[in-house]
Amino acid sequence: MHAGSRPDNLDRAMEDFLAVRPQLFGIAYRVLGSMVEAEDIVQDTWVRWQNTDRTKVKEPAAFLTTVVTRLAINLAQSARVRRESYVGPWLPDPVDTTEDPQLGAERAEALELAVLMLLEKLNPVERTAYVLREAFDYPYGRIAEILETTEANARQLVSRGRKHLAAERTARVTRTAHRRLLEVFLSAAQTGELSVLEDILTADVVSYSDGGGTRGASKIPVVGRTHVSRYLVAFAPRFWPQTDIRWVEANGLPAVLIFTGGEPVALLSLDVSQEGIDRIMWVMNPAKLAPYVASLQD
């Protein structure tokens, strides 16, 4: 039964909103790459829903999805400008996906940290079209309605996203193989085994440290097998001896949370292809780590 055929009240509004809240957050997070910004957008959508004449809304889910998507696009456009002045490499906020492996979507697409980072190179509308299609399986006609464009253009937008990712990433490995290679990498990084690191890193591997200006985080990406492996060996004796680790899941893949003195200092995540490790991602910004760690404790 549609909302327009029922007496309207706030309880019904809350029920309709909560029914699609996971999807709303999933869309906003994938478009923005920020847990905090996604939560803000979802909250803003709730406020707008309360202030809407809901008796005229026939499909609450469609209405709420349209609102959250357009708000996310608007914020993403301004976020692109802000990230140009970000200190050091920018990585998406990690999210715990143990309870919701697909993060409110039909499929767990556009969720891995590496994919979200690559999608950042698309403009917000292209990114949104790709997310709605690949993660949420929206028909092209519906995507066109949300983005206020033609169905033909919606198809082109999604195609650009697919081509971009295909150009940047080769075939991925299984989750089991990913975990196994992360274990090998972690051991070699901790002990400074140069030959092992050189064996598991791809030739054009890149190491990103997102510290947002935090002391100890590299302000530029380290590129190439030789540079990355020597970089890891050099800081091994200074970094690892005083740390503890916890195996976690972040964005659908195994990851390692690193602690110093009981405080989280980094989340280590890898992007792995059949050729080896393509990307090493160190999320060290306390503003990004804190919400993630808090979500683990819930």
Side-chain angles (χ1 to χ4, degrees), residues 20-33:
V20 294
R21 192 187 189 287
Q23 178 177 316
L24 301 180
F25 178 80
I27 292 172
Y29 172 73
R30 285 170 169 85
V31 173
L32 295 163

Side-chain angles (χ1 to χ4, degrees), residues 2 14 28 54 58 112 117 161-162 167-168 173 192 196 198 207-208 232 249 280 292:
H2 298 324
M14 175 65 82
R54 296 182 296 276
K58 292 184 177 181
E112 295 177 22
M117 181 178 67
R162 288 173 176 162
E168 295 283 349
V173 298
V196 175
E198 289 178 332
S207 177
Y208 302 92
L232 292 168
E249 179 177 298
I280 306 166
Y292 176 77

Side-chain angles (χ1 to χ4, degrees), residues 38-297:
E39 288 286 5
D40 288 344
I41 288 294
V42 171
Q43 184 59 32
D44 194 0
T45 301
W46 165 240
V47 171
R48 292 182 182 223
W49 181 230
Q50 292 178 77
N51 295 328
T52 295
D53 183 356
R54 296 182 296 276
T55 60
K56 297 181 179 179
V57 179
K58 292 184 177 181
E59 296 289 349
F63 176 89
L64 289 165
T65 299
T66 300
V67 171
V68 82
T69 302
R70 291 178 182 173
L71 288 174
I73 290 172
N74 290 339
L75 186 56
Q77 289 168 338
S78 62
R80 285 167 71 90
V81 176
R82 294 198 307 275
R83 286 167 191 167
E84 289 176 0
S85 59
Y86 191 80
V87 179
W90 179 91
L91 292 174
D93 295 1
V95 289
D96 176 25
T97 46
T98 52
E99 296 298 322
D100 183 2
Q102 293 169 282
L103 205 65
E106 294 292 322
R107 298 187 291 264
E109 298 296 323
L111 186 54
E112 295 177 22
L113 287 177
V115 173
L116 292 173
M117 181 178 67
L118 291 174
L119 289 179
E120 188 73 12
K121 296 180 182 179
L122 300 176
N123 71 51
V125 175
E126 291 171 337
R127 178 173 181 150
T128 301
Y130 179 86
V131 163
L132 292 175
R133 181 63 182 175
E134 298 300 303
F136 294 87
D137 200 26
Y138 274 39
Y140 287 106
R142 178 74 182 110
I143 296 172
E145 290 176 7
I146 293 173
L147 300 181
E148 298 181 299
T149 187
T150 64
E151 184 171 332
N153 192 46
R155 290 178 180 275
Q156 290 180 344
L157 292 169
V158 174
S159 178
R160 284 177 208 157
R162 288 173 176 162
K163 290 177 181 176
H164 175 65
L165 285 182
E168 295 283 349
R169 299 179 94 214
T170 55
R172 300 297 97 186
V173 298
T174 65
R175 181 184 175 89
T176 300
H178 189 285
R179 163 81 185 224
R180 184 163 55 246
L181 198 55
L182 178 52
E183 290 173 345
V184 173
F185 173 82
L186 181 63
S187 175
Q190 288 174 318
T191 55
E193 297 179 71
L194 182 63
S195 61
V196 175
L197 290 169
E198 289 178 332
D199 188 51
I200 61 177
L201 302 177
T202 60
D204 55 355
V205 62
V206 184
S207 177
Y208 302 92
S209 299
D210 179 344
T214 301
R215 181 183 178 186
S218 176
K219 291 183 174 60
I220 59 171
V222 183
V223 182
R225 179 187 290 133
T226 299
H227 288 122
V228 172
S229 56
R230 290 179 179 175
Y231 170 76
L232 292 168
V233 169
F235 81 68
R238 299 194 303 271
F239 179 72
W240 291 107
Q242 67 268 27
T243 63
D244 297 301
I245 67 168
R246 172 183 172 183
W247 282 90
V248 293
E249 179 177 298
N251 296 69
L253 291 172
V256 173
L257 192 57
I258 304 165
F259 296 83
T260 297
E263 294 296 320
V265 293
L267 179 79
L268 167 63
S269 181
L270 302 180
D271 188 29
V272 180
S273 69
Q274 294 178 358
E275 284 71 45
I277 298 171
D278 294 319
R279 295 171 184 83
I280 306 166
M281 293 161 286
W282 309 83
V283 179
M284 304 177 73
N285 187 335
K288 297 186 177 186
L289 283 177
Y292 176 77
V293 174
S295 71
L296 297 178
Q297 298 168 347

